[in-house]
Amino acid sequence: MTIKLFSVFSLTLSIILISSIFFYFSAALGGAVGGWTPLNDVNTPEVVAIGQFAVNEHNKEAGTKLEFQSITKGESQVVAGINYRLVINAKDGGHVRKYLVVVWDKPWEKIKKLTSFKQM
């Protein structure tokens, strides 16, 4: 009986601790869990690195030679990591075009994945 009670207590405490950590990081990132939140500054080094990563990955996957230029708009979404949805400008030959990209980032595990890259 004592072991069962201890197991239930440990499980409950673990759930509370994990939930608290998850909501702490959600609040620190400025958004509600699951919803898209506008980025206040799309020119931070972290966000620019995400945009550059998106172009580099797209170039590898599609065999293109786009050149990252800038980010005009961005949002983030807290999931099991962070989704970034960015409107970027990239040079395609002599023309600058707009693209809507989504990158999933899990920085504490050093994982990034391009999940969408579409010309607007």
Side-chain angles (χ1 to χ4, degrees):
M1 179 73 175
T2 304
I3 294 174
K4 263 188 172 179
L5 185 60
F6 180 74
S7 296
V8 170
F9 177 75
S10 296
L11 179 63
T12 303
L13 188 59
S14 296
I15 291 170
I16 291 170
L17 179 62
I18 290 168
S19 297
S20 297
I21 291 169
F22 186 69
F23 285 107
Y24 169 79
F25 281 110
S26 171
L29 293 168
V33 176
W36 288 99
T37 304
L39 296 172
N40 294 329
D41 184 2
V42 295
N43 295 310
T44 65
E46 296 82 13
V47 176
V48 170
I50 295 288
Q52 291 170 332
F53 170 83
V55 171
N56 292 337
E57 284 299 300
H58 177 74
N59 284 341
K60 287 179 200 172
E61 293 172 7
T64 58
K65 295 183 179 180
L66 299 177
E67 296 176 35
F68 174 82
Q69 299 292 300
S70 63
I71 301 170
T72 59
K73 182 179 176 185
E75 300 172 298
S76 65
Q77 178 187 42
V78 177
V79 289
I82 306 165
N83 278 326
Y84 289 92
R85 184 166 54 190
L86 307 174
V87 175
I88 65 167
N89 294 316
K91 191 182 263 188
D92 184 7
H95 304 286
V96 176
R97 304 186 196 290
K98 286 188 183 284
Y99 298 89
L100 179 63
V101 304
V102 179
V103 174
W104 176 67
D105 187 25
K106 200 170 187 181
W108 56 93
E109 291 185 13
K110 297 184 179 163
I111 298 172
K112 278 189 190 98
K113 183 176 180 190
L114 177 64
T115 57
S116 179
F117 196 101
K118 297 177 185 175
Q119 186 175 343
M120 297 179 70

